[in-house]
Amino acid sequence: MRARLIAVLTIPLAALLVVLGVAYARSLSHAGHQDLYLDRLADANLFVATARQAFAAGDPQLVDRELDRYRDVYGIEAAVLDNSGGIWATNGLRVDDLAAPRQRVVDAALSGRSDSTLDEMSPWSAGELLVAEPVFDSGDLLGAVVTSSSSRQLAEQHRRQLIVVLLGGVAAVAACVLLASRLAHWVLRPVRMVDAAMTEIWHGHVGARIAGASGPPELRRVVTAFNGMSEKVEQLIYKQQEFVSNASHELRNPLNALLLRIEDLHFSLGDDAGSEIEHVREEGRRLARILDALLMLARDQAAAGAAPAELGALVRGRLDAWQPVARETGVAVVLDVRGEVWCEVDDIVVESALDAVVDNALKFAPAGSAVDVRVEPAGDHARVTVRDRGPGLDPEEIEHVADRFWRSPRHQNVRGAGLGLAIATEFLGSCGGRLEVAAADGGGLAVTLWVPREAPGA
């Protein structure tokens, strides 16, 4: 953005400097040629007076001496022509083989008009300036005076002036770029500070603030508003974490009391109900771990309990816990484990995500159908696919299926709050995994849990 701003500021100014520089250089060149022409015109008029006397006396040597001295002093060739165009006196100038533009100047003078090749000369290139003046005596045309001088020195002078103008333009453009760079830095400094603070917040540092903002007043107001917004967001997050922490604590107390009563119940019932009591006890412990996982997600912390786990056994254990629900709804849960798949994950995170997906599948699977669960390796991830044969979703609905509290209009009468797949997505994201939802062939949904084989950062 800084480069674009500098370009916007400097390119029009550079173009303006180029136009002005070219115009100034052309003006200098034109002025130089005009001065040269006026100087040669003055010389030609001096020779006109001398040539008139020479024509009157019929002696060309009167003007020959002046022409020779003129050439010796200034190095400029000149000639006096009679009214027929013949050379009457010269210091070396030849006019019998002139090119068309130069011959036009001589013919104009012999017809009684002053003329020159000034208009034929280019601004910065060397050429010959031919000036011709008619010689009159009492209204009679006697002949013409013609001078021819090189503009090489003048062209060299013009080129040096052009170089100076170019160097000045380059210096001006460099100064403009420097000024534009400083201006862009001043204007964009608040934007960079906002970007840096937003990046910090994105990485979890919600306490990021912007101090000592400079720049235009409009952007300083943006910085002030950003700091106020960040303060508000931090307060909301803190209140949320405080609420989740208090809720977890309040739920843990009755849960611990429930586990104690289960232990008392175990002693009361004896060994006959030991297996069922152990299942209940394990579910209570698992509920405690879920509370810890929810607290971890609310605080936006990474999974801290990552350890090697065999994914097939983990999935089988959770599906066993869901069998009573499946039998009650008349749905068969079929597991297909394709080899041992070891992952380094927090088992409670994966179990909680799987529970949300299986619960969703059992809710929508019709009685007498099956929910297929397949576990298989997939490169650096493991894949757990849960496929039901329920009504499924339209493609545009699948895009929103992981949104919190979203429910299809067709399923408003089915129990649930629209949080299951959203929670599963967040659980998997906390350990470096992801959730994919797609329409299954033959109807229903295929929900895939991608679980990393190694813990993030390992």
Side-chain angles (χ1 to χ4, degrees):
M1 184 174 180
R2 181 181 180 184
R4 291 193 297 270
L5 184 58
I6 292 175
V8 167
L9 293 174
T10 57
I11 289 178
L13 187 56
L16 178 61
L17 289 175
V18 169
V19 172
L20 293 178
V22 170
Y24 178 66
R26 289 183 65 88
S27 176
L28 288 177
S29 176
H30 178 72
H33 286 149
Q34 192 70 28
D35 290 342
L36 179 62
Y37 165 71
L38 293 175
D39 188 53
R40 295 299 171 266
L41 183 61
D43 294 343
N45 285 326
L46 291 175
F47 284 123
V48 165
T50 305
R52 185 182 299 115
Q53 295 174 3
F55 277 124
D59 183 6
Q61 291 198 7
L62 290 177
V63 73
D64 270 336
R65 288 190 297 271
E66 295 294 331
L67 293 176
D68 291 339
R69 190 179 303 113
Y70 186 62
R71 180 192 59 195
D72 294 339
V73 175
Y74 299 107
I76 300 173
E77 294 181 341
V80 178
L81 309 181
D82 58 24
N83 55 11
S84 64
I87 295 178
W88 198 64
T90 181
N91 63 6
L93 178 63
R94 305 286 297 178
V95 296
D96 52 357
D97 58 350
L98 296 176
R102 296 164 65 83
Q103 186 62 49
R104 174 185 57 78
V105 173
V106 174
D107 293 342
L110 292 175
S111 64
R113 293 181 291 104
S114 298
D115 204 353
S116 71
T117 57
L118 178 63
D119 294 337
E120 309 292 336
M121 302 182 69
S122 59
W124 299 291
S125 61
E128 295 291 328
L129 175 62
L130 196 70
V131 177
E133 279 290 310
V135 180
F136 289 99
D137 186 20
S138 301
D140 297 327
L141 179 65
L142 304 179
V145 175
V146 181
T147 65
S148 177
S149 55
S150 172
S151 63
R152 182 176 296 106
Q153 291 183 349
L154 184 61
E156 288 294 333
Q157 178 184 352
H158 289 166
R159 279 193 282 269
R160 288 194 295 270
Q161 291 173 340
L162 180 60
I163 291 174
V164 171
V165 170
L166 289 175
L167 291 177
V170 170
V173 170
C176 291
V177 171
L178 180 61
L179 180 62
S181 177
R182 299 298 300 172
L183 180 62
H185 178 78
W186 178 72
V187 170
L188 296 179
R189 185 170 182 268
V191 178
R192 290 193 299 271
M193 296 173 70
V194 170
D195 179 68
M198 291 178 66
T199 302
E200 287 189 42
I201 292 176
W202 180 46
H203 286 97
H205 307 298
V206 293
R209 299 291 185 275
I210 302 173
S214 63
E218 295 82 1
L219 292 181
R220 290 202 297 269
R221 287 196 293 269
V222 170
V223 170
T224 302
F226 176 86
N227 284 337
M229 179 196 68
S230 300
E231 185 76 25
K232 186 67 174 178
V233 169
E234 185 179 19
Q235 291 176 0
L236 292 175
I237 291 176
Y238 174 76
K239 289 180 180 179
Q240 179 191 41
Q241 292 175 348
E242 187 177 29
F243 168 77
V244 172
S245 178
N246 293 336
S248 176
H249 177 73
E250 294 299 324
L251 288 173
R252 193 180 299 277
N253 288 335
L255 181 61
N256 290 335
L258 179 62
L259 290 174
L260 290 175
R261 290 184 177 274
I262 291 173
E263 294 296 332
D264 292 339
L265 186 62
H266 183 201
F267 290 121
S268 301
L269 296 178
D271 296 334
D272 294 340
S275 177
E276 290 298 326
I277 292 296
E278 183 59 32
H279 282 305
V280 174
R281 183 189 294 122
E282 179 57 32
E283 287 300 314
R285 294 168 182 163
R286 183 174 165 277
L287 183 56
R289 294 197 299 271
I290 289 176
L291 290 176
D292 292 336
L294 288 173
L295 182 61
M296 173 195 69
L297 287 177
R299 292 177 176 176
D300 197 21
Q301 298 172 343
E310 204 286 299
L311 193 59
L314 187 148
V315 171
R316 183 178 289 107
R318 291 314 308 148
L319 293 184
D320 288 344
W322 281 98
Q323 287 299 336
V325 178
R327 286 193 297 268
E328 182 179 344
T329 57
V331 177
V333 178
V334 181
L335 176 62
D336 177 16
V337 179
R338 301 185 177 181
E340 285 192 351
V341 183
W342 286 89
C343 300
E344 190 171 355
V345 294
D346 185 346
D347 57 353
I348 193 62
V349 169
V350 177
E351 288 179 347
S352 299
L354 179 63
D355 283 345
V357 175
V358 172
D359 177 53
N360 195 73
L362 291 176
K363 279 193 299 187
F364 292 101
S369 65
V371 172
D372 298 324
V373 181
R374 185 172 66 249
V375 181
E376 58 187 339
D380 56 353
H381 282 71
R383 186 165 56 196
V384 180
T385 303
V386 180
R387 190 248 199 254
D388 65 61
R389 289 167 176 79
L393 295 172
D394 295 332
E396 57 272 13
E397 292 179 322
I398 291 178
E399 297 179 2
H400 303 284
V401 73
D403 297 343
R404 291 191 178 192
F405 303 107
W406 182 87
R407 302 187 69 191
S408 172
R410 295 177 293 163
H411 306 145
Q412 294 297 321
N413 294 328
V414 180
R415 63 177 178 84
L419 288 172
L421 295 183
I423 292 176
T425 300
E426 293 191 17
F427 270 121
L428 288 175
S430 70
C431 66
R434 66 182 188 275
L435 188 83
E436 290 183 356
V437 181
D441 294 336
L445 287 181
V447 182
T448 303
L449 294 78
W450 292 85
V451 183
R453 304 289 292 273
E454 294 184 357

